[in-house]
């Protein structure tokens, strides 16, 4: 049954790496994953400023239905792995990433019977 569902996978981050390549930035890990043959979303972008982050989030709020799957927001991450280590995490989430959630969509449903 699972084989009929046309599931897909996109790599978005490495777990713990021992004895592998050393990276300084998250975008380098994504490039490496692509080189190894893993599918990585072509929608991921590295931006330089908070204004660029805002523009990227707004772009995908407007364009969320232009891709083949549903999204309910954008995850914004710090690119520098050293800064990520410095920022750390709470017991529930990393301090170096935040989800920008889109407003929920509302649709009208017609109940028949």
């Amino acid at each position: 049954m699972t084989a009929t569902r046309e599931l897909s996978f996109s790599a978005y981050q490495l777990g713990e790496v021992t004895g592998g390549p050393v990276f300084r930035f998250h975008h380098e890990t994504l490039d490496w994953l692509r080189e190894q043959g893993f599918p990585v979303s072509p929608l991921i972008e590295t931006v330089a400023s908070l204004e660029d982050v805002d523009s990227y989030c707004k772009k995908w709020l407007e364009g969320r239905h232009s891709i083949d799957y549903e999204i309910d927001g954008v995850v914004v991450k710090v690119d520098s792995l050293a800064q990520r280590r410095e920022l750390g995490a709470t017991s529930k989430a990393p301090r170096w990433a935040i989800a920008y959630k889109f407003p929920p969509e509302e649709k009208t449903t017609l109940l028949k019977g």
Side-chain angles (χ1 to χ4, degrees):
M1 181 170 199
T2 302
T4 66
R5 294 187 180 156
E6 299 183 34
L7 298 176
S8 63
F9 161 80
S10 290
Y12 64 91
Q13 189 165 313
L14 290 173
E16 183 176 338
V17 177
T18 304
V22 177
F23 302 106
R24 293 179 38 225
F25 298 96
H26 179 61
H27 76 267
E28 294 172 342
T29 68
L30 298 175
D31 293 342
W32 183 81
L33 286 165
R34 278 188 199 96
E35 291 167 8
Q36 303 311 304
F38 288 95
V40 176
S41 173
L43 307 179
I44 295 172
E45 291 182 26
T46 302
V47 298
S49 69
L50 288 177
E51 291 81 14
D52 293 340
V53 169
D54 185 57
S55 294
Y56 183 83
C57 292
K58 287 177 181 173
K59 175 176 88 172
W60 285 111
L61 172 59
E62 297 300 318
R64 68 194 287 190
H65 298 297
S66 67
I67 53 179
D68 293 337
Y69 49 90
E70 293 292 321
I71 60 172
D72 64 353
V74 172
V75 177
V76 178
K77 299 178 182 180
V78 171
D79 192 34
S80 166
L81 300 179
Q83 288 178 340
R84 287 184 180 194
R85 286 188 292 277
E86 188 176 331
L87 289 166
T90 67
S91 61
K92 295 185 179 189
R95 290 188 178 105
W96 46 263
I98 190 165
Y100 174 87
K101 292 295 197 176
F102 300 151
E105 292 190 303
E106 295 183 13
K107 303 282 182 173
T108 301
T109 301
L110 178 62
L111 183 60
K112 297 179 179 181

